[in-house]
Amino acid sequence: MGADDEDSWPVIGHIGRDGQPHVEAASIALSLHLTREASWDVLEEDEQDRIAAWLRHAIDQEPSSNNWYLFPFTIASFLEGVGRADDQTAYVIERGLALIEGWYRGEGWYSDGEGEAFDHYIGWALHFYPVWHARLRGDSALLERLGPRLEKFLGSFSRTFDRNGAPTYMGRSMTYRMATLAAVAVGAVTGYTPLRPGQSRRILSADLRYFLERGATSDGILTLGWHGPHEPTVQRYSGPGSPYWTSKGFAALLLPAEHPLWTATEEELDADSADYVRSLVPAGQLIQATTADGLVRVHNHGSDQIKPFEADAGAPNPLYARFGYSTRTGPTALHNPSDNDVQLQVRGVWSVRRRIHAVGGGDDWIASWHAPRFTVYSPFDASPEASNGPVLPSCRIESVTAARGAVEVRVHRLVGVPPRTPVRLAGWAVAAETPESLSMRLGSRPPTSIVSANADNSTGEPLSSQLRAVTGWTEPRAARATYGTAFGRVALVPELFGQSADGVFHDTVLVALASLDAGAPPTDLSAVVVTVDDAVVTIGWPTGEPTSIDLDAIDWPRR
């Protein structure tokens, strides 16, 4: 390794093309650490020296400014564990621990680096590597600090898995698939989990079954994609071996056969018997799960993956820019009509949502604001390149999502928007393998857009997505996404259109109802009564106490 002979791997460089092996080097170091007696200890001394030298070279290179700092951290942990500690390894370990302290946001949730990025990297990296370090190095004080965070995280994260085993399709690197189970597995191994053994195994086995039954492998090899091959799921850094980060989800195989994880009877999860809504203010997310169909939706008011030092400009990232993600739908591609979005149109250019400013929430609602950016896309279909279009520094869109059962209430207040500016609201994109399997239904009183897909999509069951106007929307439509989603080759997106208020600098409050349903008729949205009195939105749900949201009482920061 790192030598001139043909069998040697090249040395690892800084972030970029030469730095991608940081990822694999950390996995090799962790594997050697976990299996030391059967691997490292049986190597010849010169073989150990060559491996250690190659790994050590990696810890002196610059990683990406996110979870990548845990790769040299993991390598340094291994080197110290096999008696090769020095000032450099100590620094790299302390640096990694200091960084995750700065990235911790509360309730068990980390951001993936500076800024606000909440996705599956929290489980398969930010909890995974530090907890293994503490356990393998016998650092009980550190484990007593990190372990309870993992347990808190699983208290909410475990609710983001569908009853059919699917994880929520949100964020990058989704081709890692079963790696979404990493935190559940490590919780079971360490005991830092709120789940009973039968519940943990229920999630683990259901997730594995979900992908294997939907074509994730070809000739026994995991493909680059989601169910089967899917090009938009693949990141620039992905390679043929990338799907094998899925191995992190199998960490529970380190437990012996007599462990309760393997001997206990699989149990239902709490979400199997009761609808669930939880606001995660530290992450700016609202989790919504329904027992009727097992669907999970995550409403995004806090995760944008934009660093503080990066500009709020350019093309949006469909994996983070949308208001909602679920276990049975995926975002539409960059050059298709966007799903779960609200947009303004200025000089023929539709706005995009980039930097998300989370502002808080209540038991069943979450809020954020963003400055609409007007981006002119590259004319090349597959290119994300973009340049800036119109600039409206006075504009801000304040947004609230409230949920109960299968119903969502989407509230948007337009602030500082020019009079009579066109506005578009988009709902959940439902996908199918053939255009013939998609249908739409538009109603004018009140404006309602419903799109449906038959069971030839890769979820294996019908889906329905609907938007229903409450106030401010005048026209229903449906847009076709020709690139489809990770769940089907083509997709339809329900839409509502309206415009900002007349007059001088008047705010505009727009409210709509939305739902995503599987295997049954769409939710009856007429059972929800919403009233809007100036800035106060009151929601009368079919059951339980009403929800009242005073937009003027929310602290909307200006920066």
Side-chain angles (χ1 to χ4, degrees), residues 124 169 172-178 222-226 228 230 233-235 237-239 242-246:
W124 64 39
Y169 191 101
R172 63 193 182 94
S173 302
M174 295 309 295
T175 196
Y176 299 163
R177 295 182 177 98
M178 289 83 81
L222 287 169
T223 60
L224 281 164
W226 185 235
H230 182 247
T233 295
V234 182
Q235 258 67 58
Y237 50 79
S238 300
S242 293
Y244 282 89
W245 244 43
T246 196

Side-chain angles (χ1 to χ4, degrees), residues 216-259:
T217 62
S218 176
D219 295 327
I221 304 298
L222 287 169
T223 60
L224 281 164
W226 185 235
H227 295 154
H230 182 247
E231 187 173 341
T233 295
V234 182
Q235 258 67 58
R236 290 179 298 171
Y237 50 79
S238 300
S242 293
Y244 282 89
W245 244 43
T246 196
S247 60
K248 294 184 174 189
F250 293 86
L253 292 175
L254 292 166
L255 292 171
E258 63 273 15
H259 191 277

Side-chain angles (χ1 to χ4, degrees), residues 111-233:
S111 172
D112 183 16
E114 293 182 88
E116 310 302 320
F118 304 99
D119 54 26
H120 289 288
Y121 275 89
I122 301 169
W124 64 39
L126 293 158
H127 280 292
F128 189 83
Y129 291 113
V131 169
W132 275 124
H133 163 75
R135 183 176 174 86
L136 289 168
R137 298 297 308 285
D139 190 338
S140 57
L142 180 61
L143 190 59
E144 288 172 4
R145 184 169 87 244
L146 300 180
R149 291 182 184 176
L150 172 60
E151 185 167 354
K152 287 181 181 179
F153 174 69
L154 288 171
S156 53
F157 177 71
S158 65
R159 303 296 194 113
T160 65
F161 289 88
D162 198 296
R163 188 163 60 215
N164 66 17
T168 303
Y169 191 101
M170 177 181 182
R172 63 193 182 94
S173 302
M174 295 309 295
T175 196
Y176 299 163
R177 295 182 177 98
M178 289 83 81
T180 54
L181 298 168
V184 178
V186 175
V189 171
T190 62
Y192 285 105
T193 178
L195 302 169
R196 295 184 293 275
Q199 292 178 315
S200 292
R201 196 170 83 251
R202 158 70 186 279
I203 296 175
L204 296 171
S205 62
D207 185 279
L208 175 60
R209 186 183 308 113
Y210 173 82
F211 285 108
L212 293 182
E213 290 180 349
R214 288 167 175 79
T217 62
S218 176
D219 295 327
I221 304 298
L222 287 169
T223 60
L224 281 164
W226 185 235
H227 295 154
H230 182 247
E231 187 173 341
T233 295

Side-chain angles (χ1 to χ4, degrees), residues 295 328-329 429-431 451-455 457 459 461-465 487 516-520:
L295 255 164
R328 303 193 199 181
T329 65
V430 296
V451 299
S452 302
N454 293 334
N457 57 46
T459 67
E461 58 194 334
L463 286 173
S464 295
S465 169
F487 296 81
L516 175 67
D517 300 279

Side-chain angles (χ1 to χ4, degrees), residues 409 411 470-471 509 511 513 528-541 546-551:
V409 180
V411 181
V470 173
T471 185
V509 177
V511 183
L513 299 171
V528 180
V529 179
V530 182
T531 59
V532 181
D533 183 7
D534 194 15
V536 178
V537 179
T538 303
I539 308 165
W541 308 101
T547 298
S548 182
I549 301 167
D550 186 347
L551 298 177

